[in-house]
Each structure stands twice: as C-alpha cells, then as structure tokens.
Amino acid sequence: MNQSCDSTDEEIDLQGNNVFELQYINAGMSGEIIKKKDLDFNEFIELSSDNRFVKRRVYPDSTSIAQGNYILIQSENSKYYEFEYEEESYLIQNCGSSLKEHISILNNKEIFNGGYLPCDGPGFGYRLAN
C-alpha cells in the first residue's frame, strides 16, 4: 500500500524551527494525567534554528514569556534539549534554582519535561503543533 499521500505529517526538525504545544500534565506522585482541555492555561515552546527558544504560557487574560538558548544533546539511549534561560522565571520547570531544563525527545512528534518529577512535581508533555 502506498502511503505517500499522507506523509505530510510534521516531524521534529532537530535543526530547530519547531513549535510544541502542551498536551497534558502528569501530576507526579498521584500519576494523574491532566489533559490540556482541563487546564486554565495553554503553553507553547518555540525552538528556532539559531538555538534560541521561547516558552509562552497563555492565560485567558495574560501571557508569560521566558526565553534563552538551547542545545541538542544526543547519547546512545537518549536525545534531549538542554534549555538555559536568560533569567529566573516561574516557567522554569526543575527542582532547584537552576536556569536549566532538560526536555526529553520521546519520538518524532513529542517532547516531555520531567524536570519536576524527582521532587514529586508535575511533568509536562508537549506535541509538535506545526
């Protein structure tokens, strides 16, 4: 069967120029999954090819933005982005006061930020929005 007709699916472009949209939050210890439609905000991560990123959290009446630089790290058994923020922000998801986040690349459409999970916080799952 020829599948060329529906091969227009976007895949993560490891050179950048991707927009990811928050799809769910894994609530941590409880294991509860909170879907996008049940959140009071939406969140986007935009990666550009010049190794810059912008994270936007959009509430009904306001938008918060944090940004910085990222690098792609590839090892034998994992691929992830390391984000380094320009300044402190409540949008940084990790267990300390670091300005860094590690964003796992799950597959060719999904990334996951589990930076809070070691301290029983939530994990954030994103999907390619292009």
Side-chain angles (χ1 to χ4, degrees):
M1 187 168 123
N2 185 346
Q3 303 240 318
S4 63
C5 293
D6 52 6
S7 64
T8 56
D9 277 359
E10 295 282 341
E11 291 189 0
I12 293 176
D13 171 6
L14 294 176
Q15 305 308 309
N17 296 323
N18 294 298
V19 177
F20 296 93
E21 182 174 5
L22 183 66
Q23 298 299 312
Y24 65 89
I25 293 178
N26 172 333
M29 276 179 63
S30 70
E32 180 189 0
I33 300 295
I34 304 163
K35 298 206 179 311
K36 179 174 79 171
K37 65 180 174 52
D38 297 321
L39 298 170
D40 65 350
F41 64 88
N42 203 347
E43 191 167 282
F44 300 90
I45 295 175
E46 186 173 345
L47 304 180
S48 56
S49 55
D50 62 357
N51 286 72
R52 302 276 304 151
F53 72 88
V54 177
K55 185 188 284 186
R56 282 184 186 82
R57 184 170 289 186
V58 181
Y59 292 93
D61 58 352
S62 66
T63 298
S64 298
I65 293 177
Q67 57 193 352
N69 294 301
Y70 74 89
I71 53 175
L72 173 66
I73 297 176
Q74 301 188 65
S75 65
E76 272 183 40
N77 49 10
S78 71
K79 259 192 257 185
Y80 62 91
Y81 295 110
E82 181 179 277
F83 285 10
E84 182 150 10
Y85 287 82
E86 291 171 349
E87 56 191 23
E88 187 59 50
S89 168
Y90 78 95
L91 296 178
I92 300 174
Q93 296 151 3
N94 63 34
C95 288
S97 57
S98 163
L99 294 179
K100 291 187 176 178
E101 282 178 346
H102 289 164
I103 314 281
S104 302
I105 299 173
L106 302 182
N107 55 45
N108 62 6
K109 291 187 185 349
E110 295 177 295
I111 59 174
F112 184 77
N113 184 348
Y116 280 143
L117 293 176
C119 48
D120 300 329
F124 293 74
Y126 302 84
R127 187 171 177 85
L128 206 55
N130 310 22

